[in-house]
Amino acid sequence: MHSEEIEVRTGSREVVHDLTETCQRFLTEADAVDGLLHVWAPHATAGLAIIETGAGSDDDLLAALGDVLPRDDRWRHRHGSAGHGRDHVLPAFVPPYASVPVLDGRLALGTWQSICLVDTNVDNPVRRVRLSYLAG
């Protein structure tokens, strides 16, 4: 197994941050062949999604999360910025992990799929993500 923790700067706004190139670079540096890439976000307020980016789907995801988990005062978890309690519910909808097959050293993603960190927590501008390659 090869594992590495990376730092991702998400800033002070909600974001869907594409990690695909970083993941592929990690696999190249690990001399990956066939196996599995596991991606883990060790945070209570962030998740990982396999989604198309750049054509509006990333913004649509954030809008849908805003509809399902509005940033208002309904949440019992009340520290941080207004509506921050919804960020703690996010991982139940967008899990903090993703696993992707690796074939011949490349991510076996579909044509439009990307591995993305989903971060709605505007109070935490820096995230950690652990990449782990498990050889087959």
Side-chain angles (χ1 to χ4, degrees):
M1 183 174 92
H2 185 76
S3 188
E4 177 182 316
E5 189 172 87
I6 62 170
E7 184 177 278
V8 179
R9 295 193 174 276
T10 56
S12 59
R13 63 180 186 87
E14 296 182 0
V15 66
V16 175
H17 182 87
D18 192 339
L19 297 171
T20 310
E21 286 184 28
T22 301
C23 291
Q24 186 59 58
R25 189 171 31 256
F26 165 78
L27 292 170
T28 300
E29 292 170 2
D31 294 323
V33 184
D34 291 347
L36 188 68
L37 174 69
H38 185 73
V39 186
W40 168 249
H43 297 283
T45 59
L48 291 153
I50 307 292
I51 188 171
E52 178 181 9
T53 61
S57 297
D58 36 355
D59 291 331
D60 289 341
L61 174 58
L62 292 175
L65 290 170
D67 290 343
V68 174
L69 303 170
R71 186 171 291 285
D72 59 22
D73 64 357
R74 75 182 68 199
W75 309 101
R76 289 182 184 94
H77 187 105
R78 295 194 182 267
H79 78 82
S81 62
H84 172 67
R86 69 66 97 60
D87 299 325
H88 286 274
V89 177
L90 172 77
F93 291 84
V94 182
Y97 57 87
S99 294
V100 178
V102 176
L103 301 173
D104 197 26
R106 308 264 327 142
L107 292 164
L109 293 167
T111 302
W112 303 112
Q113 291 180 315
S114 296
I115 303 168
C116 297
L117 176 67
V118 179
D119 186 3
T120 60
N121 182 354
V122 299
D123 296 334
N124 191 350
V126 179
R127 298 306 190 141
R128 295 183 334 270
V129 176
R130 172 142 316 263
L131 307 176
S132 299
Y133 167 66
L134 298 99

